[in-house]
Structures are given as C-alpha cells and as structure tokens.
Amino acid sequence: LLRKPHFAYAQGKAPEVLETLAGLVASADCYVMVTPEYNHAASPALMNTLNHFGSSLFSFRPSAIVSYSMGQFGGVRAAANLRPFLSELGCLPVSAMVHVPHAHE
C-alpha cells in the first residue's frame, strides 16, 4: 500500500491515507507515542509509520513515550530505543516516560 514515504511525493499527490495522516500529524500540538516492547525495541508498525514522514511535520513539538510489556520492566528498552528516533524527527521528548509492566494482567 505505502510504496514510498509521504515526503517523496509532490505536494498533494500522495495517496489519500498518507495525506490524511500527514494532516493529523501536522495539526497536533504534541505527541504521545504508545508502544509495546517487541524484541527489545519499539513496535515495527509504529516505526514504519513514523518513517513515512519527514522531520518538518514533527519539528519542535513535545513528545511523550508510553511503553508496555508482559515483563517486569514495562517496555523500558522499547522506550529507550524510541527516544533518539523521536529526536531525529525533530520532536522534543519529555524526560519522564511511562512504563507499564505486566500489561497482560
């Protein structure tokens, strides 16, 4: 479905699903990224989605990270993996993170 990132299309020429999502991202005042821990990293689905947009959509907006896992650490490794990624997108990650251990209970 998504053959190339949103920023690779001429303005207004991206598939409708990308245009809609880009509009939502651009209109947000801040972001809360919620991710499970998947193989000691953030969710591939979340990372793939974020990779479709350039940093100009995210620039200078605060972002928070919420992670969860079935284990005792609540996705700490996923959150640690996501923080520099968000910084590269231009987000301003807040220092506090929320981790939810034993999410299956």
Side-chain angles (χ1 to χ4, degrees):
L1 176 66
L2 303 176
R3 299 199 183 276
K4 56 186 179 177
H6 180 263
F7 56 81
Y9 290 95
Q11 189 170 0
K13 300 294 184 182
E16 187 174 339
V17 66
L18 277 179
E19 290 291 347
T20 301
L21 191 52
L24 291 171
V25 169
S27 67
D29 294 326
C30 63
Y31 308 102
V32 177
M33 303 296 174
V34 179
T35 184
E37 186 171 277
Y38 182 83
N39 288 339
H40 302 228
S43 163
L46 174 61
M47 302 300 270
N48 186 43
T49 301
L50 293 174
N51 276 325
H52 277 281
F53 302 99
S55 63
S56 61
L57 288 181
F58 294 95
S59 291
F60 305 111
R61 295 194 183 110
S63 64
I65 299 171
V66 178
S67 63
Y68 62 93
S69 73
M70 293 175 62
Q72 64 184 353
F73 299 114
V76 169
R77 295 172 293 201
N81 174 264
L82 189 55
R83 181 186 294 275
F85 187 87
L86 292 174
S87 295
E88 283 298 315
L89 283 177
C91 287
L92 305 170
V94 296
S95 58
M97 294 184 272
V98 176
H99 308 293
V100 182
H102 308 290
H104 62 291
E105 294 178 355

